[in-house]
PDB file of all heavy atoms in Angstrom:
ATOM      1  N   THR A   1     292.575 -46.891  27.415  1.00 94.00           N
ATOM      2  CA  THR A   1     294.009 -47.137  27.438  1.00 94.00           C
ATOM      3  C   THR A   1     294.363 -48.563  26.985  1.00 94.00           C
ATOM      4  O   THR A   1     295.234 -48.753  26.185  1.00 94.00           O
ATOM      5  CB  THR A   1     294.518 -46.903  28.854  1.00 94.00           C
ATOM      6  OG1 THR A   1     294.292 -45.562  29.278  1.00 94.00           O
ATOM      7  CG2 THR A   1     295.958 -47.200  28.985  1.00 94.00           C
ATOM      8  N   ASN A   2     293.518 -49.559  27.512  1.00 93.00           N
ATOM      9  CA  ASN A   2     293.774 -50.966  27.168  1.00 93.00           C
ATOM     10  C   ASN A   2     293.645 -51.169  25.612  1.00 93.00           C
ATOM     11  O   ASN A   2     294.439 -51.928  25.134  1.00 93.00           O
ATOM     12  CB  ASN A   2     292.795 -51.833  27.878  1.00 93.00           C
ATOM     13  CG  ASN A   2     293.070 -51.937  29.356  1.00 93.00           C
ATOM     14  OD1 ASN A   2     294.122 -51.421  29.864  1.00 93.00           O
ATOM     15  ND2 ASN A   2     292.189 -52.545  30.111  1.00 93.00           N
ATOM     16  N   PHE A   3     292.734 -50.571  25.031  1.00 93.00           N
ATOM     17  CA  PHE A   3     292.479 -50.780  23.621  1.00 93.00           C
ATOM     18  C   PHE A   3     293.103 -49.744  22.673  1.00 93.00           C
ATOM     19  O   PHE A   3     292.969 -49.765  21.479  1.00 93.00           O
ATOM     20  CB  PHE A   3     290.877 -50.779  23.337  1.00 93.00           C
ATOM     21  CG  PHE A   3     290.198 -51.867  24.126  1.00 93.00           C
ATOM     22  CD1 PHE A   3     289.031 -51.562  24.676  1.00 93.00           C
ATOM     23  CD2 PHE A   3     290.707 -53.156  24.272  1.00 93.00           C
ATOM     24  CE1 PHE A   3     288.329 -52.549  25.440  1.00 93.00           C
ATOM     25  CE2 PHE A   3     289.992 -54.081  24.947  1.00 93.00           C
ATOM     26  CZ  PHE A   3     288.831 -53.801  25.525  1.00 93.00           C
ATOM     27  N   ASN A   4     293.834 -48.825  23.319  1.00 94.00           N
ATOM     28  CA  ASN A   4     294.469 -47.749  22.572  1.00 94.00           C
ATOM     29  C   ASN A   4     293.552 -46.919  21.643  1.00 94.00           C
ATOM     30  O   ASN A   4     293.867 -46.788  20.449  1.00 94.00           O
ATOM     31  CB  ASN A   4     295.708 -48.335  21.760  1.00 94.00           C
ATOM     32  CG  ASN A   4     296.652 -47.266  21.243  1.00 94.00           C
ATOM     33  OD1 ASN A   4     296.849 -46.216  21.828  1.00 94.00           O
ATOM     34  ND2 ASN A   4     297.307 -47.560  20.144  1.00 94.00           N
ATOM     35  N   LYS A   5     292.461 -46.513  22.219  1.00 93.00           N
ATOM     36  CA  LYS A   5     291.436 -45.808  21.413  1.00 93.00           C
ATOM     37  C   LYS A   5     291.358 -44.351  22.027  1.00 93.00           C
ATOM     38  O   LYS A   5     291.434 -44.125  23.122  1.00 93.00           O
ATOM     39  CB  LYS A   5     290.092 -46.484  21.544  1.00 93.00           C
ATOM     40  CG  LYS A   5     290.037 -47.922  20.910  1.00 93.00           C
ATOM     41  CD  LYS A   5     288.638 -48.225  20.536  1.00 93.00           C
ATOM     42  CE  LYS A   5     288.065 -47.338  19.461  1.00 93.00           C
ATOM     43  NZ  LYS A   5     286.657 -47.677  19.068  1.00 93.00           N
ATOM     44  N   ASN A   6     291.170 -43.460  21.112  1.00 94.00           N
ATOM     45  CA  ASN A   6     291.023 -42.016  21.446  1.00 94.00           C
ATOM     46  C   ASN A   6     289.568 -41.713  21.812  1.00 94.00           C
ATOM     47  O   ASN A   6     288.892 -40.987  21.079  1.00 94.00           O
ATOM     48  CB  ASN A   6     291.458 -41.165  20.328  1.00 94.00           C
ATOM     49  CG  ASN A   6     291.529 -39.652  20.714  1.00 94.00           C
ATOM     50  OD1 ASN A   6     291.688 -39.320  21.836  1.00 94.00           O
ATOM     51  ND2 ASN A   6     291.275 -38.805  19.713  1.00 94.00           N
ATOM     52  N   VAL A   7     289.103 -42.261  22.856  1.00 94.00           N
ATOM     53  CA  VAL A   7     287.756 -41.992  23.460  1.00 94.00           C
ATOM     54  C   VAL A   7     287.934 -41.319  24.766  1.00 94.00           C
ATOM     55  O   VAL A   7     288.553 -41.835  25.631  1.00 94.00           O
ATOM     56  CB  VAL A   7     286.998 -43.330  23.657  1.00 94.00           C
ATOM     57  CG1 VAL A   7     285.607 -43.004  24.128  1.00 94.00           C
ATOM     58  CG2 VAL A   7     286.973 -44.127  22.342  1.00 94.00           C
ATOM     59  N   VAL A   8     287.397 -40.064  24.831  1.00 94.00           N
ATOM     60  CA  VAL A   8     287.777 -39.228  26.012  1.00 94.00           C
ATOM     61  C   VAL A   8     286.534 -38.935  26.903  1.00 94.00           C
ATOM     62  O   VAL A   8     286.711 -38.373  27.996  1.00 94.00           O
ATOM     63  CB  VAL A   8     288.330 -37.866  25.511  1.00 94.00           C
ATOM     64  CG1 VAL A   8     289.592 -38.106  24.730  1.00 94.00           C
ATOM     65  CG2 VAL A   8     287.343 -37.125  24.595  1.00 94.00           C
ATOM     66  N   GLY A   9     285.372 -39.236  26.508  1.00 94.00           N
ATOM     67  CA  GLY A   9     284.203 -38.986  27.365  1.00 94.00           C
ATOM     68  C   GLY A   9     282.879 -39.456  26.829  1.00 94.00           C
ATOM     69  O   GLY A   9     282.836 -40.265  25.836  1.00 94.00           O
ATOM     70  N   PHE A  10     281.804 -39.025  27.449  1.00 95.00           N
ATOM     71  CA  PHE A  10     280.465 -39.444  27.111  1.00 95.00           C
ATOM     72  C   PHE A  10     279.609 -38.165  26.668  1.00 95.00           C
ATOM     73  O   PHE A  10     279.833 -37.101  27.167  1.00 95.00           O
ATOM     74  CB  PHE A  10     279.723 -40.077  28.268  1.00 95.00           C
ATOM     75  CG  PHE A  10     280.435 -41.276  28.775  1.00 95.00           C
ATOM     76  CD1 PHE A  10     281.393 -41.318  29.760  1.00 95.00           C
ATOM     77  CD2 PHE A  10     279.927 -42.482  28.352  1.00 95.00           C
ATOM     78  CE1 PHE A  10     281.950 -42.447  30.284  1.00 95.00           C
ATOM     79  CE2 PHE A  10     280.539 -43.783  28.839  1.00 95.00           C
ATOM     80  CZ  PHE A  10     281.537 -43.639  29.833  1.00 95.00           C
ATOM     81  N   MET A  11     278.762 -38.352  25.760  1.00 93.00           N
ATOM     82  CA  MET A  11     277.715 -37.358  25.434  1.00 93.00           C
ATOM     83  C   MET A  11     276.823 -37.170  26.649  1.00 93.00           C
ATOM     84  O   MET A  11     276.598 -38.166  27.325  1.00 93.00           O
ATOM     85  CB  MET A  11     276.950 -37.687  24.142  1.00 93.00           C
ATOM     86  CG  MET A  11     277.735 -37.704  22.891  1.00 93.00           C
ATOM     87  SD  MET A  11     276.611 -38.084  21.512  1.00 93.00           S
ATOM     88  CE  MET A  11     277.771 -37.928  20.106  1.00 93.00           C
ATOM     89  N   ASP A  12     276.242 -36.035  26.772  1.00 91.00           N
ATOM     90  CA  ASP A  12     275.271 -35.824  27.901  1.00 91.00           C
ATOM     91  C   ASP A  12     274.109 -36.837  27.813  1.00 91.00           C
ATOM     92  O   ASP A  12     273.656 -37.357  28.884  1.00 91.00           O
ATOM     93  CB  ASP A  12     274.796 -34.365  27.897  1.00 91.00           C
ATOM     94  CG  ASP A  12     275.864 -33.309  28.238  1.00 91.00           C
ATOM     95  OD1 ASP A  12     276.790 -33.781  28.854  1.00 91.00           O
ATOM     96  OD2 ASP A  12     275.671 -32.197  27.908  1.00 91.00           O
ATOM     97  N   GLU A  13     273.653 -37.088  26.609  1.00 88.00           N
ATOM     98  CA  GLU A  13     272.553 -38.026  26.472  1.00 88.00           C
ATOM     99  C   GLU A  13     272.952 -39.441  26.927  1.00 88.00           C
ATOM    100  O   GLU A  13     272.122 -40.197  27.439  1.00 88.00           O
ATOM    101  CB  GLU A  13     272.079 -38.152  25.077  1.00 88.00           C
ATOM    102  CG  GLU A  13     271.479 -36.759  24.479  1.00 88.00           C
ATOM    103  CD  GLU A  13     272.572 -35.867  23.895  1.00 88.00           C
ATOM    104  OE1 GLU A  13     273.787 -36.148  24.187  1.00 88.00           O
ATOM    105  OE2 GLU A  13     272.227 -34.994  23.171  1.00 88.00           O
ATOM    106  N   THR A  14     274.203 -39.802  26.796  1.00 90.00           N
ATOM    107  CA  THR A  14     274.682 -41.091  27.230  1.00 90.00           C
ATOM    108  C   THR A  14     274.678 -41.163  28.706  1.00 90.00           C
ATOM    109  O   THR A  14     274.280 -42.249  29.317  1.00 90.00           O
ATOM    110  CB  THR A  14     276.067 -41.371  26.650  1.00 90.00           C
ATOM    111  OG1 THR A  14     276.155 -41.143  25.249  1.00 90.00           O
ATOM    112  CG2 THR A  14     276.408 -42.899  26.854  1.00 90.00           C
ATOM    113  N   TYR A  15     275.218 -40.075  29.339  1.00 91.00           N
ATOM    114  CA  TYR A  15     275.198 -40.022  30.834  1.00 91.00           C
ATOM    115  C   TYR A  15     273.740 -40.237  31.298  1.00 91.00           C
ATOM    116  O   TYR A  15     273.434 -40.895  32.277  1.00 91.00           O
ATOM    117  CB  TYR A  15     275.688 -38.722  31.335  1.00 91.00           C
ATOM    118  CG  TYR A  15     277.227 -38.654  31.441  1.00 91.00           C
ATOM    119  CD1 TYR A  15     277.908 -37.600  31.032  1.00 91.00           C
ATOM    120  CD2 TYR A  15     277.924 -39.690  32.167  1.00 91.00           C
ATOM    121  CE1 TYR A  15     279.303 -37.510  31.218  1.00 91.00           C
ATOM    122  CE2 TYR A  15     279.312 -39.618  32.281  1.00 91.00           C
ATOM    123  CZ  TYR A  15     279.973 -38.562  31.761  1.00 91.00           C
ATOM    124  OH  TYR A  15     281.294 -38.487  31.943  1.00 91.00           O
ATOM    125  N   GLN A  16     272.822 -39.576  30.630  1.00 87.00           N
ATOM    126  CA  GLN A  16     271.332 -39.615  31.034  1.00 87.00           C
ATOM    127  C   GLN A  16     270.915 -41.060  30.915  1.00 87.00           C
ATOM    128  O   GLN A  16     270.191 -41.500  31.845  1.00 87.00           O
ATOM    129  CB  GLN A  16     270.532 -38.693  30.184  1.00 87.00           C
ATOM    130  CG  GLN A  16     269.080 -38.666  30.568  1.00 87.00           C
ATOM    131  CD  GLN A  16     268.298 -37.720  29.679  1.00 87.00           C
ATOM    132  OE1 GLN A  16     268.857 -37.043  28.867  1.00 87.00           O
ATOM    133  NE2 GLN A  16     266.935 -37.694  29.871  1.00 87.00           N
ATOM    134  N   ALA A  17     271.244 -41.680  29.873  1.00 87.00           N
ATOM    135  CA  ALA A  17     270.704 -43.103  29.630  1.00 87.00           C
ATOM    136  C   ALA A  17     271.297 -44.009  30.665  1.00 87.00           C
ATOM    137  O   ALA A  17     270.681 -44.903  31.210  1.00 87.00           O
ATOM    138  CB  ALA A  17     271.133 -43.574  28.291  1.00 87.00           C
ATOM    139  N   LEU A  18     272.659 -43.863  31.021  1.00 90.00           N
ATOM    140  CA  LEU A  18     273.290 -44.673  32.056  1.00 90.00           C
ATOM    141  C   LEU A  18     272.647 -44.428  33.411  1.00 90.00           C
ATOM    142  O   LEU A  18     272.471 -45.388  34.177  1.00 90.00           O
ATOM    143  CB  LEU A  18     274.778 -44.333  32.072  1.00 90.00           C
ATOM    144  CG  LEU A  18     275.602 -44.702  30.809  1.00 90.00           C
ATOM    145  CD1 LEU A  18     277.041 -44.198  30.964  1.00 90.00           C
ATOM    146  CD2 LEU A  18     275.594 -46.244  30.571  1.00 90.00           C
ATOM    147  N   ASN A  19     272.343 -43.212  33.699  1.00 87.00           N
ATOM    148  CA  ASN A  19     271.772 -42.884  35.075  1.00 87.00           C
ATOM    149  C   ASN A  19     270.368 -43.389  35.155  1.00 87.00           C
ATOM    150  O   ASN A  19     269.922 -43.673  36.285  1.00 87.00           O
ATOM    151  CB  ASN A  19     271.834 -41.338  35.351  1.00 87.00           C
ATOM    152  CG  ASN A  19     273.234 -40.859  35.648  1.00 87.00           C
ATOM    153  OD1 ASN A  19     273.920 -41.601  36.420  1.00 87.00           O
ATOM    154  ND2 ASN A  19     273.656 -39.747  35.203  1.00 87.00           N
ATOM    155  N   ASN A  20     269.672 -43.449  34.069  1.00 83.00           N
ATOM    156  CA  ASN A  20     268.200 -43.848  34.118  1.00 83.00           C
ATOM    157  C   ASN A  20     268.053 -45.320  34.155  1.00 83.00           C
ATOM    158  O   ASN A  20     266.948 -45.873  34.405  1.00 83.00           O
ATOM    159  CB  ASN A  20     267.466 -43.279  32.925  1.00 83.00           C
ATOM    160  CG  ASN A  20     267.254 -41.820  33.062  1.00 83.00           C
ATOM    161  OD1 ASN A  20     267.258 -41.214  34.196  1.00 83.00           O
ATOM    162  ND2 ASN A  20     266.986 -41.174  31.925  1.00 83.00           N
ATOM    163  N   TYR A  21     269.097 -46.071  33.907  1.00 85.00           N
ATOM    164  CA  TYR A  21     268.991 -47.518  33.862  1.00 85.00           C
ATOM    165  C   TYR A  21     269.090 -48.146  35.256  1.00 85.00           C
ATOM    166  O   TYR A  21     269.718 -47.539  36.136  1.00 85.00           O
ATOM    167  CB  TYR A  21     270.190 -48.072  32.964  1.00 85.00           C
ATOM    168  CG  TYR A  21     270.121 -49.621  32.703  1.00 85.00           C
ATOM    169  CD1 TYR A  21     268.913 -50.164  32.229  1.00 85.00           C
ATOM    170  CD2 TYR A  21     271.167 -50.388  33.000  1.00 85.00           C
ATOM    171  CE1 TYR A  21     268.898 -51.513  32.015  1.00 85.00           C
ATOM    172  CE2 TYR A  21     271.213 -51.728  32.700  1.00 85.00           C
ATOM    173  CZ  TYR A  21     270.009 -52.251  32.210  1.00 85.00           C
ATOM    174  OH  TYR A  21     269.996 -53.635  32.004  1.00 85.00           O
ATOM    175  N   ALA A  22     268.476 -49.275  35.476  1.00 84.00           N
ATOM    176  CA  ALA A  22     268.344 -49.899  36.830  1.00 84.00           C
ATOM    177  C   ALA A  22     269.609 -50.675  37.197  1.00 84.00           C
ATOM    178  O   ALA A  22     269.827 -51.005  38.397  1.00 84.00           O
ATOM    179  CB  ALA A  22     267.108 -50.809  36.953  1.00 84.00           C
ATOM    180  N   TRP A  23     270.354 -51.150  36.233  1.00 88.00           N
ATOM    181  CA  TRP A  23     271.638 -51.948  36.493  1.00 88.00           C
ATOM    182  C   TRP A  23     271.371 -53.152  37.361  1.00 88.00           C
ATOM    183  O   TRP A  23     272.006 -53.265  38.450  1.00 88.00           O
ATOM    184  CB  TRP A  23     272.754 -51.080  37.054  1.00 88.00           C
ATOM    185  CG  TRP A  23     273.160 -49.913  36.104  1.00 88.00           C
ATOM    186  CD1 TRP A  23     272.887 -48.615  36.357  1.00 88.00           C
ATOM    187  CD2 TRP A  23     273.809 -50.031  34.922  1.00 88.00           C
ATOM    188  NE1 TRP A  23     273.404 -47.910  35.268  1.00 88.00           N
ATOM    189  CE2 TRP A  23     273.941 -48.788  34.354  1.00 88.00           C
ATOM    190  CE3 TRP A  23     274.316 -51.185  34.144  1.00 88.00           C
ATOM    191  CZ2 TRP A  23     274.553 -48.476  33.132  1.00 88.00           C
ATOM    192  CZ3 TRP A  23     274.921 -50.874  32.943  1.00 88.00           C
ATOM    193  CH2 TRP A  23     275.066 -49.541  32.450  1.00 88.00           C
ATOM    194  N   PRO A  24     270.540 -54.113  36.930  1.00 86.00           N
ATOM    195  CA  PRO A  24     270.369 -55.291  37.656  1.00 86.00           C
ATOM    196  C   PRO A  24     271.563 -56.083  37.883  1.00 86.00           C
ATOM    197  O   PRO A  24     271.781 -56.854  38.899  1.00 86.00           O
ATOM    198  CB  PRO A  24     269.351 -56.060  36.863  1.00 86.00           C
ATOM    199  CG  PRO A  24     269.446 -55.537  35.490  1.00 86.00           C
ATOM    200  CD  PRO A  24     269.788 -54.103  35.658  1.00 86.00           C
ATOM    201  N   GLY A  25     272.620 -55.986  37.007  1.00 88.00           N
ATOM    202  CA  GLY A  25     273.888 -56.678  37.110  1.00 88.00           C
ATOM    203  C   GLY A  25     274.931 -55.874  37.885  1.00 88.00           C
ATOM    204  O   GLY A  25     276.090 -56.322  37.934  1.00 88.00           O
ATOM    205  N   ASN A  26     274.543 -54.678  38.362  1.00 91.00           N
ATOM    206  CA  ASN A  26     275.434 -53.811  39.080  1.00 91.00           C
ATOM    207  C   ASN A  26     276.692 -53.522  38.477  1.00 91.00           C
ATOM    208  O   ASN A  26     276.791 -53.335  37.241  1.00 91.00           O
ATOM    209  CB  ASN A  26     275.621 -54.437  40.526  1.00 91.00           C
ATOM    210  CG  ASN A  26     274.302 -54.360  41.347  1.00 91.00           C
ATOM    211  OD1 ASN A  26     273.852 -53.306  41.681  1.00 91.00           O
ATOM    212  ND2 ASN A  26     273.707 -55.602  41.567  1.00 91.00           N
ATOM    213  N   LEU A  27     277.848 -53.527  39.199  1.00 91.00           N
ATOM    214  CA  LEU A  27     279.161 -53.056  38.667  1.00 91.00           C
ATOM    215  C   LEU A  27     279.608 -53.972  37.510  1.00 91.00           C
ATOM    216  O   LEU A  27     280.173 -53.484  36.521  1.00 91.00           O
ATOM    217  CB  LEU A  27     280.226 -53.105  39.768  1.00 91.00           C
ATOM    218  CG  LEU A  27     280.119 -52.067  40.827  1.00 91.00           C
ATOM    219  CD1 LEU A  27     281.224 -52.282  41.886  1.00 91.00           C
ATOM    220  CD2 LEU A  27     280.340 -50.660  40.233  1.00 91.00           C
ATOM    221  N   ARG A  28     279.263 -55.227  37.612  1.00 90.00           N
ATOM    222  CA  ARG A  28     279.713 -56.157  36.548  1.00 90.00           C
ATOM    223  C   ARG A  28     279.096 -55.794  35.203  1.00 90.00           C
ATOM    224  O   ARG A  28     279.683 -55.729  34.148  1.00 90.00           O
ATOM    225  CB  ARG A  28     279.347 -57.574  36.962  1.00 90.00           C
ATOM    226  CG  ARG A  28     279.937 -58.635  36.086  1.00 90.00           C
ATOM    227  CD  ARG A  28     279.621 -60.012  36.597  1.00 90.00           C
ATOM    228  NE  ARG A  28     280.160 -60.296  37.825  1.00 90.00           N
ATOM    229  CZ  ARG A  28     279.398 -60.680  38.952  1.00 90.00           C
ATOM    230  NH1 ARG A  28     278.096 -60.768  38.782  1.00 90.00           N
ATOM    231  NH2 ARG A  28     279.998 -60.889  40.064  1.00 90.00           N
ATOM    232  N   GLU A  29     277.801 -55.470  35.272  1.00 91.00           N
ATOM    233  CA  GLU A  29     277.049 -55.107  33.983  1.00 91.00           C
ATOM    234  C   GLU A  29     277.557 -53.736  33.540  1.00 91.00           C
ATOM    235  O   GLU A  29     277.698 -53.617  32.300  1.00 91.00           O
ATOM    236  CB  GLU A  29     275.569 -55.054  34.286  1.00 91.00           C
ATOM    237  CG  GLU A  29     274.767 -54.747  33.064  1.00 91.00           C
ATOM    238  CD  GLU A  29     273.292 -54.648  33.311  1.00 91.00           C
ATOM    239  OE1 GLU A  29     272.867 -54.631  34.470  1.00 91.00           O
ATOM    240  OE2 GLU A  29     272.513 -54.615  32.333  1.00 91.00           O
ATOM    241  N   LEU A  30     277.742 -52.800  34.417  1.00 93.00           N
ATOM    242  CA  LEU A  30     278.280 -51.501  34.032  1.00 93.00           C
ATOM    243  C   LEU A  30     279.636 -51.541  33.349  1.00 93.00           C
ATOM    244  O   LEU A  30     279.833 -50.982  32.240  1.00 93.00           O
ATOM    245  CB  LEU A  30     278.347 -50.545  35.181  1.00 93.00           C
ATOM    246  CG  LEU A  30     278.872 -49.190  34.993  1.00 93.00           C
ATOM    247  CD1 LEU A  30     278.079 -48.397  33.980  1.00 93.00           C
ATOM    248  CD2 LEU A  30     279.138 -48.383  36.238  1.00 93.00           C
ATOM    249  N   GLU A  31     280.475 -52.366  33.879  1.00 94.00           N
ATOM    250  CA  GLU A  31     281.818 -52.516  33.318  1.00 94.00           C
ATOM    251  C   GLU A  31     281.738 -53.133  31.939  1.00 94.00           C
ATOM    252  O   GLU A  31     282.484 -52.687  30.987  1.00 94.00           O
ATOM    253  CB  GLU A  31     282.754 -53.235  34.253  1.00 94.00           C
ATOM    254  CG  GLU A  31     284.226 -53.371  33.678  1.00 94.00           C
ATOM    255  CD  GLU A  31     285.157 -53.701  34.782  1.00 94.00           C
ATOM    256  OE1 GLU A  31     284.783 -54.080  35.861  1.00 94.00           O
ATOM    257  OE2 GLU A  31     286.441 -53.624  34.514  1.00 94.00           O
ATOM    258  N   ASN A  32     280.912 -54.137  31.804  1.00 93.00           N
ATOM    259  CA  ASN A  32     280.829 -54.818  30.466  1.00 93.00           C
ATOM    260  C   ASN A  32     280.253 -53.826  29.469  1.00 93.00           C
ATOM    261  O   ASN A  32     280.631 -53.842  28.256  1.00 93.00           O
ATOM    262  CB  ASN A  32     279.964 -56.023  30.574  1.00 93.00           C
ATOM    263  CG  ASN A  32     280.581 -57.205  31.356  1.00 93.00           C
ATOM    264  OD1 ASN A  32     281.898 -57.154  31.525  1.00 93.00           O
ATOM    265  ND2 ASN A  32     279.807 -58.105  31.777  1.00 93.00           N
ATOM    266  N   THR A  33     279.282 -52.969  29.910  1.00 94.00           N
ATOM    267  CA  THR A  33     278.701 -52.007  29.030  1.00 94.00           C
ATOM    268  C   THR A  33     279.658 -50.976  28.473  1.00 94.00           C
ATOM    269  O   THR A  33     279.720 -50.660  27.369  1.00 94.00           O
ATOM    270  CB  THR A  33     277.431 -51.382  29.754  1.00 94.00           C
ATOM    271  OG1 THR A  33     276.512 -52.332  30.047  1.00 94.00           O
ATOM    272  CG2 THR A  33     276.856 -50.293  28.851  1.00 94.00           C
ATOM    273  N   ILE A  34     280.471 -50.505  29.449  1.00 95.00           N
ATOM    274  CA  ILE A  34     281.474 -49.436  29.117  1.00 95.00           C
ATOM    275  C   ILE A  34     282.585 -50.036  28.194  1.00 95.00           C
ATOM    276  O   ILE A  34     282.981 -49.402  27.256  1.00 95.00           O
ATOM    277  CB  ILE A  34     282.058 -48.817  30.360  1.00 95.00           C
ATOM    278  CG1 ILE A  34     280.942 -48.186  31.236  1.00 95.00           C
ATOM    279  CG2 ILE A  34     283.140 -47.756  29.916  1.00 95.00           C
ATOM    280  CD1 ILE A  34     280.158 -47.192  30.525  1.00 95.00           C
ATOM    281  N   GLU A  35     282.974 -51.272  28.552  1.00 95.00           N
ATOM    282  CA  GLU A  35     283.956 -51.837  27.705  1.00 95.00           C
ATOM    283  C   GLU A  35     283.526 -52.065  26.311  1.00 95.00           C
ATOM    284  O   GLU A  35     284.263 -51.718  25.306  1.00 95.00           O
ATOM    285  CB  GLU A  35     284.395 -53.271  28.210  1.00 95.00           C
ATOM    286  CG  GLU A  35     285.385 -54.034  27.493  1.00 95.00           C
ATOM    287  CD  GLU A  35     285.737 -55.345  28.020  1.00 95.00           C
ATOM    288  OE1 GLU A  35     285.045 -55.821  28.998  1.00 95.00           O
ATOM    289  OE2 GLU A  35     286.648 -56.023  27.502  1.00 95.00           O
TER     290      GLU A  35
END
């Protein structure tokens, strides 16, 4: 919404990659990654 982009979701492989990652930076790192 902020960037006015037509991006509606994630590929299944992307969800898998996100879930398998340890996220040492926690929410801050996740938000930067998604942005």
Side-chain angles (χ1 to χ4, degrees):
T1 301
N2 288 352
F3 301 138
N4 194 28
K5 294 203 63 174
N6 185 31
V7 182
V8 298
F10 298 86
M11 293 182 178
D12 290 340
E13 295 89 344
T14 311
Y15 275 134
Q16 181 180 356
L18 294 173
N19 282 322
N20 286 338
Y21 185 53
W23 298 110
N26 290 294
L27 288 177
R28 188 178 298 123
E29 184 182 11
L30 176 63
E31 183 159 12
N32 290 342
T33 298
I34 302 304
E35 180 181 6

